[in-house]
Amino acid sequence: MPRKSSSRSRNGSPSRRGRIWRLLGAGGWVLTGLVLAGVAVGAVYVHQLDREIRERFEGQRWALPARVYARPLELYAGRPLTAAALETELRALNYRETPDAAGPGEFHIDGSRARLTTRPFVFGDDPEPAHSVRLRLANGRVQSVSDLSSGRNVDLMRVEPLLIGSIYPTHGEDRILVDIDEVPRELIVALLAIEDRRFMSHRGLDPVGIGRAMVANLRAGRTVQGGSTLTQQLVKNFYLTHDQTLTRKLNEAVMALLLEHRYDKREILEAYLNEVFLGQAGERAIHGFGQAAHFYYQRPLNELRLDQLALLVGLARGASYYDPRRFPERARQRRDRVLQAMADTGLAERERVDRALATELDVSPVMPGGRSRFPAFLDLVRRELRADYADEDLRSEGLRIFTTMDPVVQLRLEERLVRGVDQVVRQRGQDGRLEGLQAAAVVTDPQSGEVLGVVGDRDPRYPGFNRAVEAQRQVGSVLKPFVYLAALTNPHRYTLATLLDDSPLTLQLPHGEPWTPRNFDREHRGPVTAWESLVQSYNVATVRLAEDIGVSQLIGLLQTLGLQRNPAPLPSLALGAIELSPLEVAGLYQALANGGYATGTRVIRDVLDQNDEVLSHYGLALQGAVADGSVRVLTHALHDVTREGTGRRIDTRLNGQVVAGKTGTTSNFRDSWFAGFDDRHVAVVWLGMDDNRATGLTGGVSAAPVWAEIMAGIGVQSLRLEGHPGIDYRGVDLASGLRVDNDDHACEAVKTLPFWQNSGPERRAECDLSHDPSQQGWFERLFR
């Protein structure tokens, strides 16, 4: 019989394709379409994940905060510096005092000699290497700087600047990026030993590690070990949420494989070192080992010991759970487990591990806050930056901002302001009326215009209202020196010996109302010299002088010296009826301290991007000038303010050192001021109430002693008043303003005053002539 046809294949097996079609019929087409669609969707899904990985990993990975630094300490022979100031600055930088000062961030001071080893730092102009040097100090100056190893003199070196604050991203993450080549080998060894021993061999997922973790967890009856690789942990932290869902786990696995396919192990490990979460400080999240080193030990990562590195590695498993400040015993157990893993795997010598295990936790007991230690100064920096930079750039571009702050001046300003104000409250506020007394102060370098220190609150750490910048208060008599300066610029019409009228005065204001200025003691003295009027702060005589020279001329002088306002030309301006901040007052007084040259104030030197390229440089800007001879004459009188005038308490506190300045007290004792200067610094102090209540304090009994306390703290450099080629000195009878030549005279009060451009009085005083008739000449007799 003929054989029937068969649906078998040539080798005798049935056709699978035919069977499928018979079983499914038309539905087979549908299933095939679904399978193909699933493959396509999967391909699109993987492609999308791959694209997301590349965009984030190859672009800007992190929003980096702007770092704000103080000025660096420059060391060279001849620089003004005491051993105490050097120690203050080094301790602010968290340097450790050791016998040999051989390691980075170490110092040793022995009397007038010091040794220190600095840390390397990249400035905008040039990288500064680490230095190991010997300093010799004497008479308040650096006498020599020499290299410890070679003994050669070092002409100039810079100590790394103090980080004074940061401007954080809106999401609150804080990190200091580290390059994997700069990370201590022990940290990487510890990380791989405890977190991912097969990191160098797996391709993103580690089946062996997953199996080992499953066994360990089953034996313990709870989760005691994780199976995630470092790559998976990076993906979870960098790209994904922490939701415990199947979708998230699937994404994590696929993205880990993609990440390993696209990038090498060094890149992945470096990203992990900078991304891992290692602590929390309020709203500020600590990410990466670079920032964690400062957060827990206040030192750079490369200066940490093995036990310290092991603790940071241990925190990667759970920074909150193992927080060494809250749970020290738990943290130590975790640290010891990391160290033991290093020994067990042969990645660290047993002897080193044993020494590290015996070491106590030495985490810094004080958690470094996210807020700056110097909130008023940082606030001033941000205000100046807003003119050139968007807020988002400051929060995300990793800018480095180098400022003018002198850490020693800032710290001593804070300390002495608090001490001085507390003393004022103890002495003069027994009845409770000074409760709530506030204060602000500014210190600048008048030659450069650089702001060296700022305090905006009686509590210098309080980050609220910055009174040094924001408080607009009437300045009172601190403005009077500029009235006299406006007059003294015309020396052949006005001198310190010029007689002014201090008798009662009433003026008609532009709107028709009368105004009667009064002296502080409500007394009138008739004719007084300009010197006496300024030194004793007489109001009526000052107003008359301003009217004589013209209030508009006073305004022009103030604007020449840096005033950025246009006040109304009212006679009350002569008595300080204008609202200024302490910073603005400091700007005006800089011109007096600087021989008549107005430099303006500035708080920023340079702004660098994260690649150390200079974006902005803020240099000295000359705003205007007046004749230096008139300023020098005025400075003599302002020095007398501190010796025998309204600020005479200063002379006692500073032991006769030569400084100059002026007190200020506003109506109803609402504001107390002192503004003054020595040869290196301008300082301004304000005291008052935020609600404008009366304090009962004058500038002479409150702000002036606080100012003296501050200057004593930062170190006074006496003014050199003599030696101006255009100035000579003559004795003057204060009753008549005329010349006194003889030491043996009959005048009641004689004062030696400076005169510019031969402008001294030509006539001799009656009390001098009458006491020495033989000296009378025909010229003197002619004018008697």
Side-chain angles (χ1 to χ4, degrees):
M1 292 180 62
R3 299 178 65 181
K4 295 183 179 180
S5 62
S6 173
S7 61
R8 294 178 180 270
S9 62
R10 291 180 180 179
N11 60 7
S13 61
S15 171
R16 294 182 180 179
R17 182 180 300 176
R19 181 180 300 172
I20 291 173
W21 287 122
R22 284 196 301 272
L23 290 173
L24 300 178
W29 292 102
V30 176
L31 179 61
T32 301
L34 290 174
V35 171
L36 293 175
V39 172
V41 169
V44 171
Y45 163 74
V46 172
H47 176 74
Q48 182 62 33
L49 291 182
D50 184 55
R51 179 182 176 184
E52 182 178 346
I53 284 174
R54 286 185 287 111
E55 286 181 352
R56 179 79 184 274
F57 211 78
E58 296 173 8
Q60 182 179 352
R61 298 178 186 175
W62 297 284
L64 299 176
R67 305 285 180 191
V68 183
Y69 295 92
R71 63 96 186 96
L73 174 63
E74 295 181 339
L75 296 176
Y76 54 88
R79 187 200 196 284
L81 185 68
T82 64
L86 175 63
E87 182 174 356
T88 296
E89 180 132 2
L90 294 178
R91 291 196 182 279
L93 287 165
N94 292 309
Y95 274 48
R96 295 174 295 190
E97 186 163 18
T98 62
D100 56 2
E106 295 181 353
F107 76 99
H108 181 77
I109 297 177
D110 182 11
S112 62
R113 298 181 181 275
R115 295 192 303 274
L116 68 146
T117 298
T118 64
R119 302 172 177 127
F121 192 86
V122 177
F123 292 93
D125 52 359
D126 197 27
E128 185 82 20
H131 297 275
S132 291
V133 295
R134 178 182 290 106
L135 303 180
R136 190 167 58 85
L137 307 166
N139 302 319
R141 292 185 179 274
V142 177
Q143 301 300 312
S144 65
V145 184
S146 57
D147 185 84
L148 272 176
S149 59
S150 69
R152 295 176 180 172
N153 287 335
V154 176
D155 293 330
L156 173 66
M157 59 167 284
R158 291 175 290 187
V159 181
E160 73 274 16
L162 174 67
L163 178 66
I164 64 176
S166 299
I167 303 173
Y168 296 105
T170 53
H171 52 61
E173 291 185 4
D174 190 13
R175 56 173 52 81
I176 296 175
L177 296 185
V178 295
D179 188 295
I180 193 168
D181 292 327
E182 300 171 354
V183 174
R185 175 185 175 277
E186 291 87 349
L187 186 142
I188 296 176
V189 165
L191 183 65
L192 298 184
I194 196 69
E195 291 292 335
D196 192 351
R197 297 181 184 180
R198 290 166 47 83
F199 175 75
M200 299 308 297
S201 59
H202 67 64
R203 301 305 301 168
L205 302 179
D206 183 12
V208 175
I210 294 173
R212 184 174 59 247
M214 290 179 60
V215 172
N217 295 337
L218 287 173
R219 287 176 176 174
R222 57 188 177 89
T223 301
V224 295
Q225 193 175 121
S228 296
T229 64
L230 287 183
T231 312
Q232 287 177 272
Q233 294 178 41
L234 175 62
V235 166
K236 179 172 61 178
N237 292 329
F238 206 51
Y239 297 99
L240 304 174
T241 68
H242 290 267
D243 298 336
Q244 296 297 320
T245 64
L246 183 60
T247 300
R248 204 273 294 162
K249 284 287 187 183
L250 176 61
N251 286 343
E252 178 186 307
V254 173
M255 293 177 84
L257 293 171
L258 290 170
L259 194 65
E260 292 266 1
H261 174 70
R262 288 281 182 188
Y263 305 101
D264 63 32
K265 293 290 186 179
R266 283 173 55 86
E267 291 179 283
I268 294 171
L269 184 55
E270 183 177 272
Y272 179 90
L273 294 171
N274 287 304
E275 172 61 26
V276 61
F277 171 72
L278 294 173
Q280 190 79 30
E283 298 179 354
R284 172 172 160 249
I286 307 303
H287 284 261
F289 287 94
Q291 184 62 45
H294 288 275
F295 183 68
Y296 291 106
Y297 296 107
Q298 299 188 27
R299 303 187 70 76
L301 186 62
N302 60 4
E303 292 183 18
L304 300 189
R305 303 186 307 267
L306 178 61
D307 60 289
Q308 295 169 329
L309 294 170
L311 175 63
L312 297 186
V313 168
L315 294 175
R317 178 57 58 90
S320 299
Y321 184 78
Y322 294 110
D323 185 343
R325 293 190 178 97
R326 297 174 58 202
F327 310 110
E329 187 56 36
R330 187 185 296 171
R332 178 164 185 166
Q333 291 175 2
R334 178 64 181 168
R335 180 205 70 177
D336 292 352
R337 185 174 179 183
V338 173
L339 291 168
Q340 195 63 52
M342 295 176 70
D344 292 345
T345 55
L347 296 175
E349 298 174 0
R350 169 55 66 180
E351 184 179 353
R352 290 193 66 205
V353 168
D354 288 342
R355 286 199 303 268
L357 288 169
T359 305
E360 297 292 331
L361 291 183
D362 58 353
V363 171
S364 170
V366 179
M367 179 190 301
R371 292 174 176 172
S372 171
R373 293 173 56 194
F374 313 105
F377 198 98
L378 187 62
D379 172 71
L380 184 55
V381 170
R382 296 184 68 162
R383 290 170 185 272
E384 192 164 307
L385 286 170
R386 287 188 190 125
D388 300 311
Y389 295 91
D391 191 61
E392 183 58 30
D393 292 337
L394 297 176
R395 293 179 178 275
S396 63
E397 296 298 322
L399 302 181
R400 294 200 301 154
I401 300 154
F402 294 90
T403 74
T404 61
M405 177 197 280
D406 183 321
V408 174
V409 171
Q410 177 69 37
L411 291 168
R412 291 184 177 174
L413 170 62
E414 294 173 356
E415 173 196 351
R416 296 305 180 103
L417 179 74
V418 171
R419 180 191 301 180
V421 175
D422 287 350
Q423 186 171 359
V424 169
V425 172
R426 283 195 304 271
Q427 292 177 347
R428 302 186 178 274
Q430 297 90 339
D431 55 1
R433 61 187 169 85
L434 295 182
E435 184 177 351
L437 182 68
Q438 268 298 345
V442 178
V443 178
T444 72
D445 176 348
Q447 292 189 353
S448 64
E450 294 186 339
V451 179
L452 305 180
V454 180
V455 175
D457 192 281
R458 187 174 165 186
D459 175 3
R461 299 286 176 264
Y462 184 70
F465 184 55
N466 187 358
R467 294 163 188 82
V469 182
E470 297 180 87
Q472 306 293 313
R473 307 293 292 237
Q474 284 203 355
V475 298
S477 295
V478 296
L479 203 74
K480 284 180 181 175
F482 301 95
V483 178
Y484 291 84
L485 179 59
L488 292 170
T489 55
N490 185 359
H492 295 290
R493 183 177 178 187
Y494 299 102
T495 71
L496 292 179
T498 300
L499 290 181
L500 305 178
D501 185 3
D502 191 47
S503 61
L505 173 68
T506 298
L507 298 172
Q508 294 296 319
L509 298 179
H511 49 72
E513 293 185 5
W515 178 60
T516 302
R518 293 183 174 84
N519 290 325
F520 177 78
D521 59 2
R522 299 297 193 267
E523 298 291 331
H524 297 278
R525 294 163 181 82
V528 295
T529 61
W531 176 87
E532 181 181 348
S533 178
L534 175 57
V535 170
Q536 301 302 333
S537 201
Y538 297 155
N539 291 337
V540 179
T542 302
V543 170
R544 273 202 169 89
L545 177 60
E547 287 290 290
D548 192 24
I549 62 175
V551 176
S552 59
Q553 183 175 335
L554 170 61
I555 294 172
L557 174 73
L558 291 170
Q559 291 173 338
T560 297
L561 299 183
L563 181 67
Q564 301 295 315
R565 300 169 183 263
N566 190 25
L570 299 175
S572 57
L573 180 64
L575 303 184
I578 181 175
E579 294 181 347
L580 300 176
S581 69
L583 182 64
E584 289 176 293
V585 173
L588 291 173
Y589 269 72
Q590 281 188 161
L592 304 184
N594 211 25
Y597 293 93
T599 54
T601 57
R602 59 191 177 102
V603 295
I604 302 173
R605 290 182 173 179
D606 296 290
V607 178
L608 277 62
D609 65 16
Q610 57 183 297
N611 298 316
D612 299 319
E613 295 293 326
V614 177
L615 300 178
S616 304
H617 173 72
Y618 297 76
L620 176 67
L622 182 64
Q623 296 179 336
V626 296
D628 66 333
S630 59
V631 174
R632 182 67 68 90
V633 169
L634 176 68
T635 301
H636 277 80
L638 295 179
H639 170 53
D640 290 334
V641 169
T642 69
R643 295 177 64 242
E644 49 192 301
T646 55
R648 55 188 172 273
R649 288 174 173 81
I650 290 173
D651 189 63
T652 301
R653 176 64 182 85
L654 297 182
N655 300 316
Q657 296 187 62
V658 183
V659 296
K662 186 67 184 74
T663 56
T665 308
T666 61
S667 300
N668 300 318
F669 304 96
R670 291 190 176 97
D671 304 277
S672 303
W673 293 84
F674 193 88
F677 52 94
D678 67 358
D679 199 49
R680 290 189 301 172
H681 303 113
V682 166
V684 176
V685 172
W686 168 85
L687 303 180
M689 300 288 187
D690 285 339
D691 60 7
N692 223 22
R693 283 184 289 123
T695 64
L697 301 174
T698 66
V701 302
S702 59
V706 174
W707 185 91
E709 190 67 33
I710 290 169
M711 295 300 290
I714 65 178
V716 174
Q717 185 75 34
S718 284
L719 291 166
R720 292 164 288 185
L721 298 178
E722 314 298 330
H724 191 285
I727 291 178
D728 57 6
Y729 298 85
R730 298 185 185 179
V732 173
D733 170 34
L734 294 182
S736 65
L738 300 180
R739 191 176 92 236
V740 174
D741 292 341
N742 295 319
D743 293 335
D744 185 17
H745 56 75
C747 303
E748 184 176 344
V750 174
K751 177 71 178 178
T752 299
L753 296 178
F755 295 93
W756 180 42
Q757 294 184 348
N758 298 314
S759 58
E762 295 182 354
R763 293 177 57 190
R764 289 179 62 187
E766 178 73 22
C767 54
D768 192 27
L769 287 169
S770 61
H771 192 67
D772 188 6
S774 64
Q775 298 297 320
Q776 296 184 33
W778 67 271
F779 185 80
E780 286 86 349
R781 290 195 299 270
L782 180 64
F783 289 97
R784 286 184 60 183

